[in-house]
């Protein structure tokens, strides 16, 4: 992990200038956007759908609520939130990348998810929303890619309503050494090859594997959330800690 305010930062295992990371991440998602959903299903054997369903279940979403799905990409969470908040609620699908947003908007419209969803191109570090705007904010598999994670955590806290909650769904650290070894083998030997065959892009999936290893582990992310000002922060491991769901509240 390297989120300090010096002038270099991790981009996977490479050190790059802080000012460069956003455009490098943008290139990754520009490149994978069209094949993003099919690769997600293949890479996770479909399990990402269960992780996302569990996130919705833990969100406390109710009719009429206002939800921000930041780094929402192709909109899996947005689609489920849209049904749950109903016509009197609203879901904002926001992402820094116009290619991901476009794939998301087309997919959701094809599925008839219309009426209560708004699409906004936005950076998690500098959210273009009023203070105290949202009942729920989710960021799924997005925080890992953000240059200044502390700034993004503060920005999300600012736009959260008092009583609202943030849910961070992200790859994390497997709890068992055996699982960790198998996961390493899969990530570094199989994933990039799969990326090459399906998306003609091994590099982006090599970045995926590296960025996961560089992301803060469960306890570190928990304390980053507490430092940013979230309260009652907790997390739950899923699939043996391959993924963790962190939750924190604004009071
Ligand atoms: C792995 S995708 C996750 C998409 C979706 N949330 C999901 O779970 O399938 C990560 C997304 O984060 C977006 N992203 C990266 N940096 C961001 C930032 N600073 N602000 C907002 N979105 C960002 C990328 O454009 C990409 O769409």
């Amino acid at each position: 992990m390297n989120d300090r305010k010096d002038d270099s930062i991790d981009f996977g295992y490479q050190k790059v200038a802080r000012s460069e990371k956003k455009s490098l991440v943008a290139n990754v998602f520009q490149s994978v956007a069209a094949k993003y959903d099919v690769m997600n299903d293949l890479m996770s054997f479909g399990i990402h759908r269960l992780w996302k369903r569990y996130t919705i279940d833990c969100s406390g979403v109710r009719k009429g609520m206002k939800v921000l799905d930041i780094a929402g990409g192709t909109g899996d969470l947005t689609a489920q939130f849209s049904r749950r908040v109903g016509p009197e609620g609203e879901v904002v699908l926001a992402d820094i990348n116009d290619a991901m947003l476009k794939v998301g908007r087309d997919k959701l419209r094809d599925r008839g998810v219309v009426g209560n969803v708004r699409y906004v191109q936005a950076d998690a570090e500098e959210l273009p929303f009023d203070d105290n705007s949202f009942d729920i904010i989710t960021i799924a598999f997005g925080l890992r890619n953000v240059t200044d994670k502390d700034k993004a955590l503060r920005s999300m806290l600012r736009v959260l309503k008092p009583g609202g909650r943030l849910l961070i769904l992200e790859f994390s650290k497997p709890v068992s050494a055996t699982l960790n070894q198998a996961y390493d083998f899969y990530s570094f030997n199989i994933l990039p090859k799969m990326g090459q065959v399906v998306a003609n892009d091994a590099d982006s999936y090599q970045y995926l594997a590296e960025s996961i290893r560089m992301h803060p582990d469960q306890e570190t992310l928990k304390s980053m959330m507490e430092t940013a000002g979230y309260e009652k922060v907790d997390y739950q491991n899923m699939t043996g800690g391959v993924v963790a769901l962190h939750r924190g509240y604004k009071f």
Side-chain angles (χ1 to χ4, degrees), residues 81-135:
F81 277 131
S82 164
R83 281 189 280 276
R84 306 278 188 114
V85 301
E88 61 276 33
E90 185 186 45
V91 187
V92 177
L93 172 55
D95 199 286
I96 201 169
N97 191 300
D98 58 346
M100 290 293 282
L101 264 185
K102 184 175 181 320
V103 173
R105 192 174 48 224
D106 291 349
K107 178 173 92 177
L108 267 46
R109 285 184 179 163
D110 285 352
R111 290 184 184 176
V113 182
V114 284
N116 62 0
V117 179
R118 195 151 57 93
Y119 299 87
V120 177
Q121 191 168 4
D123 183 345
E125 291 177 28
E126 294 177 67
L127 290 168
F129 306 110
D130 290 341
D131 295 0
N132 309 323
S133 299
F134 296 98
D135 299 289

Side-chain angles (χ1 to χ4, degrees), residues 120-178:
V120 177
Q121 191 168 4
D123 183 345
E125 291 177 28
E126 294 177 67
L127 290 168
F129 306 110
D130 290 341
D131 295 0
N132 309 323
S133 299
F134 296 98
D135 299 289
I136 299 167
I137 301 179
T138 50
I139 181 164
F141 306 109
L143 191 63
R144 197 182 68 243
N145 301 293
V146 170
T147 304
D148 191 335
K149 297 176 185 52
D150 297 319
K151 191 173 175 193
L153 288 170
R154 290 194 301 272
S155 172
M156 292 187 280
L157 186 68
R158 178 184 68 73
V159 302
L160 204 53
K161 287 182 190 172
R165 66 182 91 174
L166 167 71
L167 295 109
I168 303 176
L169 178 65
E170 190 50 273
F171 292 106
S172 205
K173 192 160 174 42
V175 286
S176 106
T178 317

Side-chain angles (χ1 to χ4, degrees), residues 40-58:
N40 259 1
D41 277 334
L42 282 174
M43 287 182 310
S44 72
F45 312 104
I47 299 171
H48 74 104
R49 292 164 186 266
L50 301 179
W51 297 331
K52 286 171 179 164
R53 197 173 308 151
Y54 186 67
T55 303
I56 301 279
D57 289 346
C58 293

